[in-house]
Amino acid sequence: MATRYFESEWEDKAYPIDTEANVNPVASAQTHPGEIVREDDVAARNPIFRKFGALFDNGVEARGIERVPEEERDGKHTIGLLLFWWSVNMVVSTVPIGLLAQAYYTLTFRSAVAAIVTFTALGAACTSFIATLGPKTGLRTMVITRYSVGFVGATIFSVLNILTQLGFSVVAVILGGQTLTNVSDGKLPLEASIVLVGFLALVLCFVGYNAMHYWERYAWILLFVFYCCMWGLAGKRGFEMGTQHAAQATGKEYAGDFLSFGGIVFSSASGWAPVAADFNCRLPSNIKAWKVFVLTWFGLMVPLLFVEILSAALMTVPDYAAAFEEGDAGGVLSEVFAPWKGGGKFILVVFAFSIISNCIPNTYSAALSFQTLLPVFEKVPRALWTVVVFVIYTVAAVAGREHFSEILSNFLAILGYWVAFFVIVVLEEHYIFRYWFHRQGDNASGPARGYDLSVYDKPRQLPIGTAGIFACCCGTGAAVVGMAQVWYIGPVGRLFGEYGGDLGFEMSAIVTAIVYPPLRYLEYRIFRR
């Protein structure tokens, strides 16, 4: 039996790969050789794929949602568990989140920081857990959900994920476009700026996995330097940390503001959970789960805390607060770098194009979710789906370009509702029904314990999904009861005063966590799937 070895960055030993079975021995119990789909097989799947043959031969990723076999995995992008997320979140579209604390929720700087730290830590933990499943299974995030909510439920999640990633992209390219337009003093129309920023992100997504990782490994460095410059410029203007104390609400109203802002912060970190496994499914299956979790968690925490706390501090500078009222987040950035004149405009251009780093995971994962919707969609290459995604979010961004802050606050708050029940269902399925109680011969061991990875695309061998779908519906109902939005405040949310307090994601998670286990156990006893 022939054996070769691969070395994993961050690992101090080599792992054997059984090239006859084409799997790692520790994962051989879950994988059947007849089910393996190699990259070359994907590239020659049908006439549509074969027309892209020259592109695939020159580095464009052919693989879509097909499971990545062990022989095509390595550890060269392990560092991406940290630096990938640094670049994705250390972008200009993270800045407005901190601005909202005082502009929309009357929180002082101290209260804003407390909310940012608490809810970012919780949201990052959700994303980090999902990230651990990528190397274990070799599957994309939305395909992994088939083991919790079945084929139909995964299709529903894919629709939600497509809408989520499109929403993130809309917010990102609007802000990037605003920044470019401000730099040009209006000479470059906002519509053109939006298209330009989005198109540059498309190029990397079109190429695929490796190109994105190489870009994200280094993109954060220059941005970090510029954010440090922002601290210095703001300090020179003068922070006035007490400016918001008189306006901050008290009692139940304060709790409501804190929870509502916290929901937005939670969503900014947990919003990556539905895509987290997409960017590490090519890592070896025996990489330690704790290492994946810790690196991903810090990859999210460091940039999100750094940028959001900075932007909250900017609102304590009176000149910047006035600039926000006149020109939104783009106006604040322009005011910060105004003293540097031409140099400041150059930095703003760099910030505008930093949006590329943020749009990359959105576009890439939305394309994969399109493939997950229906089997027929798999016949269209992933690269083509990225073009479709780009067209959709660009058109939407141009249409909503004048309502950036409203889009951001409403979109991020609602996003947390479905991410909460999605994470809970996958987590309980993994730790209760796969890890502890699943006892089906060979499927009870290995890094993907309890998962028969050969049936990821076989609806009749996956769970029925009724338990998961019903539990998520219950979570949705609970979110509606606890939500507090401009257009609707639920009965629980209304307990926090006139403007309410958003408990949507908390209610969604709690109810789903209670409902899912007994229903899933009953489903398993009946259908044995």
Side-chain angles (χ1 to χ4, degrees), residues 185-325:
D185 295 325
K187 295 177 182 178
L188 183 65
L190 181 55
E191 298 88 336
S193 299
I194 289 171
V195 173
L196 179 59
V197 172
F199 178 77
L200 293 176
L202 169 64
V203 174
L204 288 165
C205 296
F206 188 90
V207 176
Y209 187 93
N210 287 326
M212 295 185 301
H213 270 283
Y214 284 125
W215 170 273
E216 304 286 16
R217 183 173 296 189
Y218 306 106
W220 64 273
I221 299 174
L222 187 59
L223 297 172
F224 174 76
V225 173
F226 291 158
Y227 280 122
C228 290
C229 294
M230 290 178 66
W231 275 109
L233 289 168
K236 190 173 182 179
R237 288 283 188 102
F239 294 112
E240 297 182 14
M241 298 302 181
T243 55
Q244 199 74 13
H245 282 290
Q248 181 172 271
T250 58
K252 293 188 297 183
E253 289 78 9
Y254 168 75
D257 287 341
F258 189 88
L259 289 170
S260 295
F261 176 65
I264 293 175
V265 173
F266 170 81
S267 296
S268 71
S270 67
W272 299 116
V275 308
D278 297 350
F279 305 101
N280 61 20
C281 61
R282 291 179 179 266
L283 294 179
S285 63
N286 43 17
I287 186 174
K288 297 291 189 291
W290 66 263
K291 181 176 295 184
V292 175
F293 185 96
V294 170
L295 289 175
T296 304
W297 192 79
F298 277 105
L300 291 162
M301 284 289 288
V302 171
L304 287 173
L305 293 187
F306 183 72
V307 178
E308 290 176 12
I309 290 174
L310 166 61
S311 59
L314 294 180
M315 290 296 284
T316 67
V317 179
D319 290 343
Y320 300 159
F324 180 85
E325 294 180 3

Side-chain angles (χ1 to χ4, degrees), residues 318-384:
D319 290 343
Y320 300 159
F324 180 85
E325 294 180 3
E326 294 178 6
D328 221 318
V332 174
L333 291 170
S334 296
E335 183 66 24
V336 170
F337 290 106
W340 285 1
K341 300 180 180 179
K345 288 190 174 184
F346 169 76
I347 292 174
L348 289 175
V349 171
V350 174
F351 269 130
F353 287 115
S354 73
I355 292 298
I356 295 171
S357 297
N358 195 259
C359 286
I360 282 172
N362 304 331
T363 306
Y364 183 79
S365 292
L368 294 171
S369 292
F370 270 109
Q371 283 195 319
T372 311
L373 288 177
L374 295 169
V376 68
F377 288 175
E378 287 187 62
K379 297 180 179 180
V380 178
R382 174 206 58 80
L384 274 185

